[in-house]
C-alpha cells in the first residue's frame, strides 16, 4: 500500500475520492479509476511480488467489497489479513521485509 501510494498517489487519491463519493455505486462508477490504479502499479516489482504471494487474501478482500458495496466496513478483517500477508513478503533480491504501515 505504501509503495502504491508512493508511485501512484494521484491515481489512488482519485479512486479513493470516487469510492467515498459513491458509497452505493462505487463498483460501477469508479471502475475506470480502479483500472488506472491497477495499470499504474502493475509494472512495479514490489507490487507484483505482493500480488503473487498474497493473491488469496487479496481476492477474499475484493470479494467482500463486492458483497458489501454499501457497508465496506464489514471487510476490515479481510484487509487486515491481506496487510498481514503483505508485511511478510520478502523480495528475493533484497531479502528484507517490505515496510507496510499498520492500520
Amino acid at each position: 500500500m505504501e509503495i502504491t501510494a508512493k508511485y501512484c498517489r494521484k491515481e489512488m487519491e482519485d479512486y479513493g475520492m470516487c469510492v467515498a463519493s459513491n458509497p452505493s455505486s462505487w463498483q460501477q462508477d469508479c471502475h475506470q479509476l480502479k483500472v488506472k490504479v491497477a495499470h499504474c502499479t502493475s509494472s512495479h516489482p514490489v507490487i507484483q511480488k505482493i500480488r503473487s504471494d498474497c493473491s488469496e487474501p487479496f481476492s477474499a478482500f475484493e470479494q467482500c467489497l463486492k458483497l458489501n458495496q454499501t457497508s465496506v466496513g464489514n471487510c476490515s478483517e479481510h484487509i487486515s489479513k491481506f496487510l498481514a500477508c503483505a508485511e511478510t513478503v520478502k523480495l528475493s533480491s533484497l531479502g528484507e521485509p517490505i515496510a507496510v504501515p499498520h492500520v
Side-chain angles (χ1 to χ4, degrees), residues 3-103:
I3 293 160
T4 301
K6 181 177 179 180
Y7 294 102
C8 304
R9 179 176 302 275
K10 180 179 178 352
E11 292 85 350
M12 289 292 292
E13 287 175 355
D14 290 348
Y15 180 61
M17 287 173 36
C18 182
V19 170
S21 299
N22 300 284
S24 61
S25 60
W26 65 270
Q27 274 300 96
Q28 297 82 21
D29 295 344
C30 306
H31 178 73
Q32 281 303 109
L33 294 172
K34 180 180 176 182
V35 170
K36 284 183 180 183
V37 171
H39 183 264
C40 179
T41 60
S42 64
S43 62
H44 197 281
V46 174
I47 302 285
Q48 290 175 344
K49 181 76 171 151
I50 291 172
R51 283 186 176 171
S52 172
D53 291 3
C54 302
S55 63
E56 188 175 312
F58 186 73
S59 294
F61 172 60
E62 280 192 316
Q63 182 64 28
C64 182
L65 288 177
K66 287 178 186 175
L67 296 173
N68 293 280
Q69 291 186 26
T70 58
S71 50
V72 294
N74 291 345
C75 301
S76 60
E77 181 180 332
H78 292 84
I79 190 64
S80 294
K81 286 180 181 178
F82 170 69
L83 291 174
C85 177
E87 287 178 3
T88 67
V89 171
K90 293 184 179 185
L91 290 178
S92 57
S93 60
L94 298 177
E96 296 190 20
I98 297 166
V100 178
H102 295 281
V103 195

